[in-house]
Amino acid sequence: MSNIEKNYQVAKELYAERGVDTDAVLKKLAEIPVSVHCWQIDDLSGFENPERGLSGGIAATGSDPSKAKNKEEFMVNLTKALSLVPGYNKLALHAIYLDNGGQNIDRDQIEPKHFAGWVDYAKEHKIGLDFNPTYFSHDKADTNFTLASYDKSIRDFWIEHGKRCRKIGEYFGRELGDVCITNHWIPDGYKDYTVNKLKHRELLADSLDQIFAEPIDRKYNIDSVESKVFGLGIESYTVGSHEFYTNYAAIRNNCIVCMDMGHFHPTEVVSGKLTSYLAFGREVMLHVSRPVRWDSDHVVALDDEVKEVMLEIARNNAFDKIHIGTDYFDGSINRIAATAIGARNVKKALLYALLEPTKMLEEYEEKDDLVSRFAYVEESKTLPFGLVWDMFCEQQGVPGSDWLKTVL
Ligand code: RNT
Ligand code: ZN
C-alpha cells in the first residue's frame, strides 16, 4: 500500500466517525465543473491584437518572463496548466481568443467558426467551454462606455457583439453537451462625480434586452451579467452595479447574475449572499478571485472566504445552481503555475466543503445547541483533509504537492 493510500485510510476513518463518506465525496468532487479562465496565461492579451493594451479599468501587473509570446506557446502553456487541475474542468474563453486566420475580424463580426479550434481542443481534452464577450480593449470602448454609451452607434456595435457571443456559447453547448455560460461584463462608468446616474442604467437595460431578445435553449447557453463596484479610472460610478444586475436578472428572467469575489466592498462577502439567490431558485455564476484590499485580481488562495463560499454551495447541495469559475491575472509569477495554484485551490476548497460534517452541525443548530455547533465547526477545521486531497490527485492522475517541479 502506498503512503497516499495508507494516509487516506486514516483520514477515511476519522471522517467516518463524523458521518462523512470520503469515497462518495471523492466521486462527487471529480464531477463538479470548475471553469478555469484562459487569460492568466497571457495577461488577457488574446489573439485578436496582442499588442493592444488592456482597457476598462482592469490591469495585469508584473514582469515575470513566462507570459506566452504567441498562440503556439499559449496553447502549450494552457494545456500544461489544465493538466495540473484534477477532476472535471471547463475552460473559460474571451472573445479576443478567436482564430481570425490572420484577417481583421472585428467584434461585431465574430462567428462560431472562429472558435471551432477551441471546440476541437475541448473535445480532445474532455472539458467544457464557457465564454465571455470582450467589451473592452478596443477603440470603441476607449471612453469607458459600451452598452450604456449615449452614442447609439457605439451601443449598437457592442449589442451586436453580445448577440454574436451568445451564438458562440450556444455552439459550444451544442457541440460539447455541457452548457456554456456566456458572461457579460462591461466597464461602463465614470471616473468622477456623476450627475445622471439613471440614464446610463436605462440604456444598459435596453441594450441587454436587445442582446437577450432571441431565446436560446438553456441546455446550451446561459447568459450571466457581472457586476462591479468600480474600476481603475472608473472609480465613482459603475453603471452595472450589483443592485442593477440583481434586479435586471430577477425581473427580466433572461439571464443570471455573476458575482466576482473581488467586486464588492472589502468587508462584504459573496459567501453571505449566495443563499439569497438560492432561496428563489436562482442560479449564480461565480468568479473566484482574491481581492487584496481592492479588486486586485490576485491568484486564488485557499483562504477562509473561498472555503466559506464552497461550504455554502456544498451545504445546500447547490452545485446545479452555482456555477464556479476562476478569474485572476498576475504577471509577477509564472503564469502556468499561477493558473494551477488558483484552480487547485478552488478544488481544494470544494473538497474541504464536501468533507464538512454538515449533518451533525445542522442537528446542533436545529436543537439550538449553539456551543456544540461552535465547538464542532472549529474541530472540523483540523480534520485531515489534505490526506484526502492527495488521494484525489492520485486518482485523477494529476501530480500532488510537488507539481511545481513539473512546471519550472
Ligand atoms: C473585470 C471582471 C471580468 C474580467 C474578465 C477578464 O473586473 O472581473 O470578469 O476579469 O472578463
Ligand atoms: Zn470577473
Side-chain angles (χ1 to χ4, degrees), residues 39 44 58 94 132 136 183 185 226 228 260 263 287 295 297 327 329:
W39 50 90
L44 200 42
I58 50 178
H94 242 283
N132 294 262
F136 53 86
N183 178 58
W185 171 74
E226 182 179 358
K228 193 162 177 171
D260 182 309
H263 290 192
H287 270 184
D295 178 31
D297 293 299
D327 182 16
F329 21 100

Side-chain angles (χ1 to χ4, degrees), residues 168-182:
I168 293 163
E170 180 187 25
Y171 161 67
F172 287 167
R174 223 181 257 282
E175 287 287 325
L176 301 172
D178 188 4
V179 63
C180 171
I181 311 280
T182 298

Side-chain angles (χ1 to χ4, degrees), residues 149-317:
S149 169
Y150 281 147
D151 182 336
K152 183 169 183 303
S153 69
I154 298 278
R155 288 200 306 280
D156 286 346
F157 175 83
W158 291 112
I159 289 167
E160 186 59 29
H161 181 56
K163 285 182 180 170
R164 284 172 180 259
C165 285
R166 299 179 72 217
K167 289 285 186 192
I168 293 163
E170 180 187 25
Y171 161 67
F172 287 167
R174 223 181 257 282
E175 287 287 325
L176 301 172
D178 188 4
V179 63
C180 171
I181 311 280
T182 298
N183 178 58
H184 303 254
W185 171 74
I186 59 164
D188 297 34
Y190 283 121
K191 182 181 177 74
D192 223 323
Y193 301 115
T194 303
V195 178
N196 194 338
K197 300 193 186 72
L198 177 58
K199 185 73 190 154
H200 288 293
R201 290 192 168 131
E202 288 171 342
L203 289 170
L204 176 55
D206 181 67
S207 294
L208 293 173
D209 288 349
Q210 292 186 53
I211 291 173
F212 301 144
E214 186 184 329
I216 291 182
D217 194 332
R218 285 177 59 88
K219 242 187 13 226
Y220 303 128
N221 182 74
I222 295 175
D223 294 283
S224 61
V225 283
E226 182 179 358
S227 65
K228 193 162 177 171
V229 172
F230 76 97
L232 284 175
I234 315 159
E235 287 87 354
S236 297
Y237 166 68
T238 299
V239 185
S241 65
H242 181 58
E243 292 76 9
F244 175 87
Y245 284 128
T246 291
N247 277 298
Y248 182 84
I251 288 161
R252 299 292 205 265
N253 203 21
N254 55 7
C255 63
I256 65 173
V257 155
C258 171
M259 286 192 267
D260 182 309
M261 291 172 64
H263 290 192
F264 294 86
H265 292 288
T267 57
E268 211 180 343
V269 284
V270 166
S271 57
K273 299 179 188 294
L274 293 176
T275 44
S276 294
Y277 293 83
L278 296 178
F280 299 98
R282 304 293 303 179
E283 290 178 49
V284 170
M285 175 72 206
L286 265 187
H287 270 184
V288 186
S289 186
R290 179 164 51 107
V292 175
R293 303 183 196 284
W294 69 291
D295 178 31
S296 58
D297 293 299
H298 278 60
V299 177
V300 170
L302 185 62
D303 61 16
D304 284 351
E305 173 57 5
V306 174
K307 286 191 237 172
E308 211 55 46
V309 161
M310 300 310 158
L311 280 167
E312 286 297 301
I313 307 173
R315 286 167 179 167
N316 298 295
N317 196 21

